[in-house]
Amino acid sequence: MQTVPPTPSPFPTPSPFPSASPSTGSGDPVIAVKDLSFRYPGTDRDTLRNVDLTIERGDFVAVVGGNGSAKTTLCKTFNGLVPHYWNGDFAGSVHVGGTDTWESSVAELSSRAGYVYQDFQNQLVRPTVRDEVASGPLNFGHADYRERTEEALAQLGISHLRDSFVWQLSGGQAHLVALAAVLALRPEVVVVDEPVAELDPARAREIYLRLQQLNREHGITVVTIEHHAEFIAEFARSVVLMADGAPVWHLPVQEAMDRHRELEDNGIPAPDAVSLTAAVGADRVALDVDSAVPMLRPHLRDAPPAKPAALDTVGPEGRGEVVASLRGVNHGYRTVRGDLAPVLIDLDLDLHAGERIALVGTNGAGKTTLMKLLTGLMVPRSGTVMVTGIDTRSRSAARLADHVSYLYQHPQRMFLKDTVRADIALFPAGRQVPGAQELVEEVLGRVGLEELAERDGRSLSGGQQRRATIGIGLAMRPSLLLLDEPTSSLDVRSRDDVIGMLDSLADTVRCAVVASHDMELVATWASRVIVLDQGRVLADVTPRELFARPEISRQARLVPPQAARIAHSLGIDPLPLTAAELRAHLRTQDSALMIGGRC
């Protein structure tokens, strides 16, 4: 077994980004992949196919592609998880910092390539932040583990959290702690899988700003696996497009975004700044809002178009009957010291039939707690929660499931049987619902999973799993359907499939509530937005009202969709919510320049 030599300095010296295409291998490669193929046990085709890829030292690389394109499998070869942990048929070679990953162990490679998982909470195994960050250097016997710990905490601006318990952290803080634990081993490369999937927009941007700082100031090569093209365009220096187990190309970010149609075809939607500047005929598309505004201003129409359709203007007098209500609800959790940390404070809400409600706010604002109170999984410490006229204190959660269905953020938690059909049938069969078999077949057709009905739900792609969990919820025939982050970690096709199904629920579900950080979903689907902040309702508005009031977004740490931010900077009123609405205010090129129907 080869021993990895110690890194001569805490961080490698930055090198200038090569002027040639990143995939040419010029400059100083830190990762070199040659003729790599890999097949998981029990499968009949290679997951990775003849991959050749070079990543230069000091690059900030976004690895993109649709669900199932093998992005994560490729990146797991950088730190040896493939093939040393996820074993299978491995051919070719991967070198990181000059070390052959086949000849080294995962432990040895951890000082070369650190990895922050998509489910980063599972990486936190020690009680306090200081213990967590120090655990790696201690396990490797580094005498300077204290210095390494303080250095990593300072780099990410979280030294003030050193004595906090990890379970007290917000999602954004926990993500930074997982990253700090990786940095304490002083790797040359840091791989971050879906860094923003479970974070509110403001904390997501903070993560990327920290990664950019590590890249620019310390020369660390950063590799992110990402679906959010807005962050890719603004922060990445190069982009690897994966499809069917191999790179399609590896290009500087400007060239990659100029190929927006090809990205769209592979499940990566063009950011609004890109699609709109392409629509007005820009030779080089804008990569962010600030650069898009001056490019679009000369193309504003002299006469404004008709006002946008009133998607979201139903007032209280036009609402349907009350499906659920909360009165004087207070709830909180005991800390390790025994005091009560409030999560929801004196909450009064009515949810009405026919409403599509988006529940938004920062990590820790109380969104998931509110949903669990509505299901009866928890009862409030004080106050009353009523669902279809039933006090949740008077019924068990199992009995309330006849009226309300809650779909977890992580779909794997919804799969209890060995096939999708059996999971969808579990509730109606257990309740001996008349016509249960016909109901299951109807639901399978409704969510488009007839051909996958005999598959184990845990073996499906991310988008298929989301459809299956919606099927489980629909089979319960609830009056109130609650969905926690239904579009996180999905590529554009899967995300649009889920949004399409949500749109079609009106004839099945009386009221749907979605807790989400996805502001595009909020803008295009919701009829009502409830903004939670520090346990209270900060605003109860329509999407257009929300994004037209920057003071609410700032206080709740929301980031409106790019189109709304661009329109606000251009002074357009009423505020367009989508690129399609904003495009109506612009003199554009031929409609063939439209990006996937989004602009």
Side-chain angles (χ1 to χ4, degrees):
M1 186 74 70
Q2 179 179 343
T3 301
V4 178
T7 306
S9 63
F11 294 99
T13 303
S15 61
F17 190 73
S19 58
S21 167
S23 59
T24 62
S26 62
D28 179 17
V30 69
I31 296 175
V33 181
K34 183 67 175 175
D35 297 328
L36 173 64
S37 294
F38 180 74
R39 179 178 299 187
Y40 288 103
T43 59
D44 58 2
R45 67 191 304 270
D46 290 345
T47 299
L48 294 171
R49 301 181 301 103
N50 303 317
V51 175
D52 287 307
L53 179 67
T54 300
I55 294 176
E56 308 297 338
R57 191 178 302 278
D59 200 355
F60 191 131
V61 186
V63 181
V64 305
N67 292 119
S69 61
K71 304 182 298 296
T72 296
T73 299
L74 172 64
C75 290
K76 284 179 178 176
T77 68
F78 300 163
N79 71 340
L81 285 174
V82 172
H84 299 303
Y85 183 77
W86 298 101
N87 58 16
D89 296 332
F90 185 100
S93 65
V94 180
H95 287 81
V96 178
T99 299
D100 189 333
T101 63
W102 175 264
E103 298 176 357
S104 300
S105 68
V106 173
E108 290 170 330
L109 288 165
S110 61
S111 63
R112 296 288 190 194
Y115 203 109
V116 181
Y117 296 94
Q118 180 177 340
D119 190 4
F120 55 85
Q121 298 279 5
N122 286 340
Q123 287 184 255
L124 307 181
V125 296
R126 302 294 297 158
T128 70
V129 169
R130 191 202 310 268
D131 293 339
E132 179 64 38
V133 178
S135 61
L138 271 171
N139 287 337
F140 279 95
H142 293 300
D144 61 344
Y145 70 91
R146 290 187 181 89
E147 291 81 358
R148 288 170 176 258
T149 299
E150 292 303 320
E151 179 182 77
L153 292 172
Q155 284 175 323
L156 297 176
I158 55 173
S159 297
H160 63 289
L161 296 176
R162 61 170 64 86
D163 295 320
S164 299
F165 291 101
V166 295
W167 54 264
Q168 292 177 306
L169 304 175
S170 69
Q173 291 171 337
H175 203 290
L176 288 172
V177 170
L179 179 56
V182 165
L183 292 177
L185 291 173
R186 294 174 176 168
E188 299 172 75
V189 179
V190 171
V191 181
V192 189
D193 193 348
E194 294 284 0
V196 305
E198 298 185 17
L199 301 180
D200 63 68
R203 286 190 170 94
R205 182 173 176 79
E206 179 183 352
I207 292 292
Y208 263 97
L209 287 170
R210 294 295 185 183
L211 292 173
Q212 184 182 65
Q213 181 182 28
L214 293 171
N215 175 251
R216 291 182 175 179
E217 297 182 10
H218 301 287
I220 295 177
T221 304
V222 176
V223 180
T224 64
I225 303 169
E226 188 57 270
H227 284 125
H228 295 77
E230 179 178 341
F231 291 109
I232 297 167
E234 183 173 356
F235 292 99
R237 301 174 73 183
S238 73
V239 180
V240 175
L241 174 61
M242 293 287 293
D244 198 24
V248 178
W249 41 250
H250 182 193
L251 295 170
V253 65
Q254 181 68 61
E255 293 182 36
M257 289 300 147
D258 287 338
R259 298 191 180 196
H260 42 74
R261 292 188 188 84
E262 194 170 355
L263 288 170
E264 180 86 15
D265 290 341
N266 284 276
I268 308 300
D272 293 339
V274 169
S275 65
L276 288 163
T277 51
V280 298
D283 292 332
R284 310 243 74 180
V285 297
L287 299 182
D288 54 38
V289 169
D290 289 342
S291 56
V293 170
M295 294 171 66
L296 295 174
R297 192 178 298 280
H299 298 275
L300 282 174
R301 294 181 183 273
D302 297 328
K307 290 186 178 182
L311 167 72
D312 45 17
T313 56
V314 177
E317 69 284 351
R319 290 172 174 169
E321 63 181 297
V322 173
V323 175
S325 67
L326 301 92
R327 290 290 179 270
V329 168
N330 292 276
H331 197 70
Y333 303 101
R334 293 288 175 189
T335 70
V336 71
R337 297 177 181 85
D339 54 329
L340 186 66
V343 177
L344 297 175
I345 304 170
D346 199 24
L347 209 63
D348 289 322
L349 277 175
D350 287 326
L351 311 182
H352 300 266
E355 289 183 323
R356 296 171 295 179
I357 300 172
L359 193 61
V360 304
T362 63
N363 295 101
K367 301 185 297 296
T368 297
T369 297
L370 174 55
M371 285 190 159
K372 289 183 177 180
L373 289 174
L374 287 167
T375 65
L377 291 170
M378 300 186 305
V379 295
R381 291 185 177 272
S382 65
T384 303
V385 179
M386 306 284 290
V387 178
T388 62
I390 301 168
D391 188 331
T392 59
R393 295 181 188 277
S394 69
R395 300 270 182 98
S396 67
R399 298 312 307 176
L400 280 170
D402 289 322
H403 306 275
V404 57
S405 176
Y406 173 53
L407 307 186
Y408 290 91
Q409 178 173 349
H410 301 290
Q412 297 89 340
R413 299 178 64 183
M414 301 291 294
F415 302 125
L416 304 176
K417 311 296 283 185
D418 57 1
T419 68
V420 171
R421 185 189 304 278
D423 277 315
I424 292 176
L426 186 60
F427 183 88
R431 289 289 201 272
Q432 297 182 339
V433 173
Q437 184 173 347
E438 292 77 9
L439 173 62
V440 170
E441 296 305 317
E442 177 189 343
V443 168
L444 282 168
R446 192 176 184 87
V447 297
L449 290 177
E450 303 100 314
E451 296 181 0
L452 300 174
E454 305 309 320
R455 288 270 299 276
D456 189 316
R458 287 154 291 206
S459 71
L460 301 179
S461 71
Q464 292 165 345
Q465 287 185 345
R466 298 285 182 187
R467 282 192 278 154
T469 58
I470 291 176
I472 292 170
L474 290 178
M476 298 169 72
R477 300 191 297 185
S479 294
L480 178 63
L481 180 63
L482 310 172
L483 304 96
D484 202 347
E485 292 290 350
T487 60
S488 66
S489 305
L490 298 184
D491 63 24
V492 65
R493 291 192 184 94
S494 302
R495 179 181 175 278
D496 287 350
D497 282 347
V498 171
I499 293 175
M501 279 188 289
L502 293 178
D503 279 337
S504 70
L505 294 180
D507 61 341
T508 306
V509 176
R510 295 174 67 198
C511 180
V513 181
V514 169
S516 184
H517 296 311
D518 184 346
M519 294 299 106
E520 297 286 346
L521 170 63
V522 173
T524 57
W525 174 78
S527 62
R528 177 185 177 192
V529 187
I530 298 171
V531 184
L532 291 181
D533 183 54
Q534 298 182 1
R536 302 180 186 273
V537 175
L538 173 64
D540 188 348
V541 292
T542 67
R544 207 174 306 281
E545 290 169 337
L546 171 64
F547 297 131
R549 296 172 61 183
E551 71 279 5
I552 298 177
S553 295
R554 282 194 297 270
Q555 184 171 340
R557 295 174 62 87
L558 303 176
V559 179
Q562 274 197 347
R565 283 181 279 152
I566 292 170
H568 190 271
S569 296
L570 292 172
I572 300 174
D573 182 41
L575 187 73
L577 296 182
T578 65
E581 287 186 3
L582 178 51
R583 191 177 188 275
H585 291 263
L586 301 171
R587 294 188 299 271
T588 61
Q589 302 293 307
D590 186 81
S591 59
L593 288 170
M594 292 173 64
I595 309 300
R598 294 175 178 272
C599 176

